[in-house]
Amino acid sequence: MIDKQLRVVLAEDSVILRDGMVELLTARGCSVVATAGTAPELVAAVTEHRPDVAVVDIRMPPTHTDEGIRAAVEIRAVLPEVGILVFSQHVETAWAARLLADGAAGIGYLLKERVARTSEFVDALHRVAAGGTALDPEIVNGLMHGGRRSRVDALTPREREVLELMAQGHSNRSIATLLAVSERAVEKHVASVFGKFGLPATDADNRRVKAVLTYLAESGTSS
């Protein structure tokens, strides 16, 4: 069970959807400290409240193009400790790559129509707030096929599969279940990835995040 109450800033221009999300998150033990309907309001709210995580839609007023994710990039530059979870119906691979470009942990990108349960969304919020990642498989796939390879070339197909699932936020146990292999086998694949990416033995969670960021950065460099 997740015990920590997350402090959340929620940016969504649809009043009905925004109010509904506030109710759902509050019922799940989160504290929505502020809401925003525009990108400037989002930046101001995050600057004032310093939440654990900000939930950001990509397209917000006035032009409904990319104001939200531009604001997210701005927030990461000024307040890198604030987690960012992009929650949108739009796939913007180039902006996802830019959001991940500086190697900052604590990034999520979920597609609205693919989140089946509120618990999945709240779990993703906690992962992002803790410095992890929560990326929809479609986003990962878009980044994978966006550009040239380097260290990623050295990975076996199974290692890439494991790393892709890591990028989505799965634990070793969850990956083992999904791939129908032992958890020990997953641990060996993860250790091999760390070695091929030249990541020294430090905090395990930190290495996982760095491995994911390396994978995404070097798999989507032309995005």
Side-chain angles (χ1 to χ4, degrees), residues 11 13 37-43 56-75 92 95:
D13 65 300
T38 68
E41 289 175 1
L42 166 62
V43 174
V56 182
D57 195 2
I58 290 178
R59 301 183 181 182
M60 302 185 72
T63 68
H64 294 279
T65 54
D66 57 6
E67 287 89 348
I69 201 162
R70 283 180 180 272
V73 171
E74 179 182 343
I75 290 166
E92 296 285 354
W95 275 107

Side-chain angles (χ1 to χ4, degrees), residues 24 29 33 37 47 60 68 76 78 81 85 99 126 132 140 144 146 148 166-167 177 186 208 212:
L24 288 172
V33 296
T47 301
M60 302 185 72
R76 291 301 287 184
V78 179
E81 70 276 11
L85 178 60
L99 201 54
H126 280 273
V140 174
M144 274 178 57
R148 61 179 174 81
M166 284 170 56
T177 299
V186 174
R208 288 176 77 88
V212 167

Side-chain angles (χ1 to χ4, degrees), residues 6 19 25 31 34 36 65 77 82 84 86-88 102 105 111 116 124 126 139 141-142 151 158 198 202 220:
L6 286 187
D19 290 350
L25 291 176
S31 173
T65 54
V82 175
I84 298 290
V86 176
F87 190 49
S88 179
D102 293 331
L111 299 179
H126 280 273
I139 301 299
N141 186 61
R151 285 172 289 185
R158 178 62 89 182
T202 56

